[in-house]
């Protein structure tokens, strides 16, 4: 399903964001599932080396456990988005509970973020029902992706992860990484390569 989402998404769900402008050499790096002290600070340090901005889609429970790491993200002027309280699957979660998790997470984010911009949300696993999405889109920009690194998949080697990124990344791509323990090994290999390779090609890295 993860492979089909970006291919069919623009047709089936045109109100969600799948990529940026194809006319500009801009890439949008996104990081799901943090913030955690074991990985997120390393990501921030690396992004700073390349003057890159990114968007972090945070799990509410991780914000509760590691508020200082969230504050570090914001101090570096990155964007923070909502990834539900407990990384729940919208297809398997009653809508009332799913929307409550989003609301509670946004309340946590709002303690640290003051902005007039519309809040950002990414559904865990890319899965939310049409009725859930209709409600979410009233208050959030729903940010999907067109390049999934699969850094979290222990069955994929770091070299294959890098090849996936090279094969699919283009102008305006939204790339998904994970600042999580599960993804750490692959992330530590591919993220420096992405930043170095696309910087040399003249790309810039923006947050939403």
């Amino acid at each position: 399903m993860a492979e089909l989402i970006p291919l069919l998404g623009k047709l089936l769900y045109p109100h969600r964001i799948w990529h940026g402008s194809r006319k500009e050499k801009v890439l949008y790096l996104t990081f799901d599932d943090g913030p955690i002290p074991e990985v997120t600070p390393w990501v921030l340090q690396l992004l700073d080396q390349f003057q890159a901005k990114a968007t972090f889609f945070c799990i509410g429970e991780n914000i509760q456990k590691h508020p200082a790491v969230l504050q570090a993200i914001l101090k570096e002027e990155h964007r923070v988005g909502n990834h539900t309280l407990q990384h729940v699957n919208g297809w398997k979660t009653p809508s009332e509970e799913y929307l409550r998790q989003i609301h509670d997470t946004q309340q946590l984010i709002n303690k640290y973020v003051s902005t007039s911009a519309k809040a950002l949300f990414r559904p865990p696993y890319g899965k939310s029902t049409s009725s859930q999405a209709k409600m979410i889109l009233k208050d959030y920009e729903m940010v999907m992706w067109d390049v999934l690194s699969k850094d979290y998949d222990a069955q994929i080697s770091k070299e294959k992860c890098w090849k996936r990124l090279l094969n699919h990344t283009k102008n305006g791509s939204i790339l998904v990484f994970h600042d999580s323990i599960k993804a750490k090994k692959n992330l530590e290999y591919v993220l420096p390569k992405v930043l170095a390779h696309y910087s040399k090609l003249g790309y810039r890295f923006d947050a939403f």
Side-chain angles (χ1 to χ4, degrees):
M1 181 64 193
E3 296 293 343
L4 292 176
I5 287 173
L7 295 175
L8 301 177
K10 282 192 70 177
L11 292 174
L12 297 176
Y13 308 110
H15 299 297
R16 306 182 192 187
I17 300 172
W18 295 93
H19 59 77
S21 171
R22 297 300 193 193
K23 297 178 181 179
E24 296 184 75
K25 298 185 81 169
V26 182
L27 298 178
Y28 298 92
L29 306 183
T30 66
F31 298 87
D32 290 3
D33 298 357
I36 60 169
E38 297 87 348
V39 182
T40 312
W42 174 84
V43 172
L44 293 175
Q45 185 178 33
L46 189 62
L47 293 175
D48 183 59
Q49 290 176 24
F50 288 88
Q51 299 182 315
K53 297 303 177 187
T55 305
F56 291 79
F57 288 93
C58 297
I59 293 173
E61 287 192 341
N62 282 337
I63 294 174
Q64 291 174 320
K65 293 175 186 175
H66 312 295
V69 183
L70 179 75
Q71 288 174 300
I73 293 171
L74 295 169
K75 184 178 180 181
E76 295 296 323
E77 300 183 340
H78 301 290
R79 288 290 304 275
V80 169
N82 187 323
H83 204 45
T84 75
L85 191 69
Q86 298 170 310
H87 202 268
V88 291
N89 184 333
W91 291 3
K92 298 179 179 180
T93 308
S95 291
E96 184 177 354
E97 167 64 10
Y98 191 67
L99 295 171
R100 183 193 67 79
Q101 289 225 7
I102 296 169
H103 175 268
D104 289 354
T105 300
Q106 196 60 41
Q107 292 295 103
L108 291 168
I109 292 171
N110 289 346
K111 290 180 181 179
Y112 303 95
V113 177
S114 177
T115 177
S116 59
K118 199 169 186 181
L120 305 177
F121 173 73
R122 172 174 285 160
Y125 314 103
K127 296 177 179 179
S128 61
T129 67
S130 294
S131 60
Q132 289 166 354
K134 185 176 180 179
M135 295 299 294
I136 293 164
L137 286 166
K138 291 179 180 179
D139 299 309
Y140 298 85
E141 298 279 6
M142 192 179 293
V143 182
M144 305 300 282
W145 64 83
D146 63 331
V147 183
L148 182 65
S149 69
K150 286 202 170 182
D151 51 0
Y152 56 84
D153 190 341
Q155 304 302 313
I156 293 182
S157 69
K158 58 187 183 181
E159 292 83 8
K160 188 172 181 179
C161 187
W162 169 232
K163 187 174 289 186
R164 284 177 58 85
L165 290 159
L166 275 179
N167 288 343
H168 298 290
T169 299
K170 52 190 173 182
N171 289 7
S173 282
I174 299 174
L175 283 65
V176 180
F177 301 97
H178 296 77
D179 51 332
S180 67
I181 296 296
K182 188 189 299 186
K184 188 172 186 285
K185 182 180 178 181
N186 282 340
L187 182 66
E188 288 182 342
Y189 179 78
V190 298
L191 185 57
K193 293 177 79 68
V194 166
L195 288 163
H197 177 75
Y198 288 100
S199 290
K200 287 180 181 177
L201 293 178
Y203 283 83
R204 72 178 191 272
F205 305 94
D206 279 354
F208 289 97

